[in-house]
Amino acid sequence: MEIDERKRKILWAIIQDYIASAEPVGSRTLSRKYDLGVSSATIRNEMSDLEEMGYIEQPHTSSGRIPSELGYRYYVDYLMEPLALDQGEADLIQNEIASKIDEVDNAFAHTASLISRLTQLTSVVISQNRHSAIKMIHFLPYHKPGQIIMLTVWDDGKVENAVVDIGEEVSAQELQTLTNIFNDKVGSVSPGKLKEAVLQEVHNELVQKKYLIDQLLHSVDRMMESQEEEAINKVFYGGTLNMINQPEFKNFDKIKDLFGVFEERNKIIGLLPRHYEGLRVQIGSENHEEVFQDCSLITATYKINGMPIGSFGILGPTRMDYRRVVAMVKFVAESLSFIISSKTFDS
């Protein structure tokens, strides 16, 4: 059966009212509160059709209905209108991220906490398992003969320096030449992407300095291996206790199971997208963890220079304010991407 315009309006009204009240919605309520242009009897008939189609459910023998997972999915995909985030909230979020960005973990933790306060839901930020890329390398003279300083700037803003034994005297001009070549051939690659062909080009351009190049490449390899070992997933929560305040989670066993999953980092990491482009809304059973099948999870990835590096999400009951939460997740992911990228590439 086709969902015509009238059914769409009635389904929209049911979802809006149930999100606000957490109470089953009847035809009289819809007739009184929403300008649907039809009688209560017509609304009842349309609600019966929507129930047969699987978009609403009757939780008990009362006349009220609640949205089904299918109903929420239809609402999110076809009925929900975009919402612009309140400017005050937008400024607060951006200021919170920007003020803590020098300590990235602090920025994530504070962002998660702030968003949970604004939405009264549970927020999750994941700094994903990724390998930083080299932004640039500088080779500088050192006061000891046969040694130079290798200064490395990573794309996440981290700066490292190391003294490298090269076994021969090198002029400042030669070091500048090396710097130019490395940044042209090696810059902006991740560990494991340092192709043999690229390295061979460096050898070919400075064949007379083969030993020197070997030493420098060996140092770069060691540094990137160390970087690879340090790369881990970090999870930051905000408002985990907010779930207790939701009518859907008054059952103690349900809350206990939910909190048990919060303690299992790998399960939480598995819920959030790693390379998914854009925003994703997972409703009820679309979440593969059984304990989250009464929940909806709205997530987006944040990026540095277009490369996904982590995920942000808000978890709540399927009866959440999807318009507001979608706007919040989208804005936070964009803000994290912009502020982290600006900090990285301005440094």
Side-chain angles (χ1 to χ4, degrees):
M1 193 182 297
E2 182 68 24
I3 297 188
D4 57 31
E5 187 61 26
R6 189 160 66 191
K7 288 185 178 64
R8 287 162 63 97
K9 288 181 178 179
I10 290 172
L11 177 60
W12 176 89
I14 290 170
I15 292 175
Q16 292 298 114
D17 203 80
Y18 186 63
I19 286 172
S21 70
E23 295 290 337
V25 185
S27 57
R28 288 184 182 178
T29 299
L30 295 178
S31 179
R32 186 178 69 253
K33 293 175 65 174
Y34 300 92
D35 182 19
L36 298 174
V38 293
S39 67
S40 292
T42 301
I43 293 173
R44 277 196 301 275
N45 290 335
E46 296 287 19
M47 289 174 71
S48 294
D49 288 345
L50 286 168
E51 186 175 2
E52 285 184 19
M53 299 166 72
Y55 291 101
I56 58 176
E57 301 170 340
Q58 188 172 23
H60 43 74
T61 55
S62 75
S63 60
R65 304 294 195 277
I66 66 173
S68 65
E69 282 186 23
L70 182 62
Y72 283 125
R73 173 49 62 191
Y74 191 88
Y75 170 79
V76 168
D77 291 345
Y78 302 109
L79 303 181
M80 185 176 73
E81 296 178 354
L83 176 70
L85 208 59
D86 174 82
Q87 190 58 50
E89 289 183 338
D91 292 342
L92 183 62
I93 291 166
Q94 288 188 326
N95 291 338
E96 187 78 9
I97 296 172
S99 67
K100 302 292 191 304
I101 203 63
D102 284 331
E103 300 176 43
V104 176
D105 285 359
N106 263 347
F108 292 154
H110 282 273
T111 300
S113 177
L114 173 64
I115 301 309
S116 70
R117 293 199 306 273
L118 292 176
T119 61
Q120 291 301 298
L121 299 173
T122 299
S123 60
V124 186
V125 183
I126 292 183
S127 174
Q128 288 186 350
N129 187 2
R130 78 178 194 98
H131 306 301
S132 295
I134 295 174
K135 183 180 175 183
M136 64 179 63
I137 296 178
H138 291 281
F139 301 112
L140 307 169
Y142 192 52
H143 63 85
K144 291 187 178 179
Q147 293 183 331
I148 64 171
I149 296 174
M150 183 173 70
L151 183 70
T152 308
V153 181
W154 297 89
D155 67 356
D156 60 6
K158 182 171 63 177
V159 178
E160 295 181 312
N161 62 80
V163 176
V164 181
D165 290 311
I166 58 174
E168 60 182 282
E169 291 290 335
V170 182
S171 69
Q173 183 176 354
E174 287 176 317
L175 289 178
Q176 185 59 53
T177 300
L178 285 170
T179 295
N180 295 340
I181 291 172
F182 265 73
N183 288 328
D184 181 53
K185 304 296 182 184
V186 186
S188 300
V189 298
S190 301
K193 302 289 186 182
L194 213 55
K195 302 293 186 183
E196 186 62 35
V198 176
L199 301 183
Q200 189 58 49
E201 287 187 50
V202 179
H203 273 286
N204 292 342
E205 294 196 37
L206 286 176
V207 66
Q208 71 277 19
K209 298 289 185 182
K210 185 176 184 307
Y211 176 78
L212 169 58
I213 298 298
D214 284 337
Q215 293 299 103
L216 295 179
L217 290 177
H218 181 62
S219 297
V220 171
D221 280 343
R222 280 207 318 266
M223 182 175 54
M224 289 200 294
E225 285 173 6
S226 174
Q227 177 75 15
E228 185 170 359
E229 291 171 1
E230 290 177 6
I232 59 172
N233 288 308
K234 293 183 179 179
V235 182
F236 305 89
Y237 295 113
T240 53
L241 294 179
N242 286 341
M243 299 300 278
I244 296 175
N245 299 322
Q246 302 297 332
E248 294 86 345
F249 295 96
K250 294 301 184 185
N251 181 290
F252 174 77
D253 288 336
K254 187 177 290 188
I255 281 291
K256 185 177 69 172
D257 292 343
L258 196 63
F259 284 0
V261 174
F262 286 150
E263 294 176 3
E264 298 185 52
R265 189 169 61 90
N266 288 338
K267 287 189 176 181
I268 293 296
I269 290 169
L271 283 176
L272 271 70
R274 299 193 175 209
H275 303 294
Y276 188 86
E277 295 294 328
L279 185 136
R280 182 170 70 175
V281 180
Q282 296 166 255
I283 300 172
S285 60
E286 294 171 3
N287 297 303
H288 58 80
E289 286 292 335
E290 185 177 353
V291 71
F292 290 125
Q293 292 187 358
D294 290 326
C295 302
S296 287
L297 178 65
I298 301 179
T299 57
T301 51
Y302 57 94
K303 307 171 183 180
I304 287 182
N305 199 30
M307 180 178 67
I309 62 166
S311 302
F312 172 75
I314 294 179
L315 179 74
T318 52
R319 184 198 53 82
M320 67 161 62
D321 186 347
Y322 289 93
R323 287 183 75 212
R324 174 166 161 73
V325 176
V326 164
M328 187 77 70
V329 168
K330 186 172 183 291
F331 184 80
V332 170
E334 290 173 351
S335 296
L336 282 169
S337 298
F338 177 77
I339 294 173
I340 294 174
S341 293
S342 298
K343 173 67 178 176
T344 297
F345 291 99
D346 287 345
S347 60

